[in-house]
Amino acid sequence: MLLYDLKFSFKPILNKICPVKIIIIILLLGDDAKINKESIAIGVARVGHDDQNMVAAPLKDLLNMDFGSPLHSLVIPGQLQILEQDAVNFLKLKK
C-alpha cells in the first residue's frame, strides 16, 4: 500500500494538478516493472460525500481524468478474488 501525503506547502500545486495525477506520474516514473501505464487502478475522491467519485481504469486513462476537489486516493489492486474483480468491473471507465 502506498500512502502519499501532500504537505500543506503543495496546496498551490493542487489547484492545478489533482493528487491522483501526481501519484500516477510518480509511479510511472519509477522503475517498478509491475506497474505501468496499462496497470488497472481505482481513482477515488471524496468518499462518503454526495459527490464522491470512484473510477477503475488503466493508469494512462486515469491520468487524463478530472477527479475534482480533494480528498483523493489511488488504489492499485494486486491479485483479485472473483468478488473483488466484480467490484472493480463495476467501477470501470465506460468507453
Side-chain angles (χ1 to χ4, degrees):
M1 172 182 269
L2 168 69
L3 296 176
Y4 185 72
D5 185 14
L6 295 171
K7 300 293 181 202
F8 185 76
S9 60
F10 284 101
K11 197 160 186 144
I13 295 171
L14 296 181
N15 293 332
K16 297 182 170 111
I17 304 173
C18 88
V20 168
K21 290 181 183 183
I22 293 171
I23 296 168
I24 292 171
I25 290 167
I26 290 169
L27 287 171
L28 293 178
L29 289 175
D31 59 358
D32 185 347
K34 294 179 183 177
I35 297 175
N36 60 54
K37 63 183 182 177
E38 298 298 329
S39 298
I40 297 295
I42 301 113
V44 182
R46 296 169 310 287
V47 173
H49 291 261
D50 291 336
D51 64 341
Q52 75 180 12
N53 189 5
M54 290 185 252
V55 177
L59 287 171
K60 66 179 177 140
D61 294 339
L62 290 178
L63 192 56
N64 298 317
M65 290 196 63
D66 180 8
F67 282 88
S69 60
L71 291 169
H72 296 133
S73 297
L74 181 70
V75 178
I76 301 175
Q79 187 160 351
L80 301 173
Q81 301 297 322
I82 294 171
L83 221 56
E84 296 166 325
Q85 185 62 55
D86 287 346
V88 170
N89 290 340
F90 178 77
L91 296 172
K92 276 196 177 166
L93 183 63
K94 308 293 185 260
K95 292 191 178 192

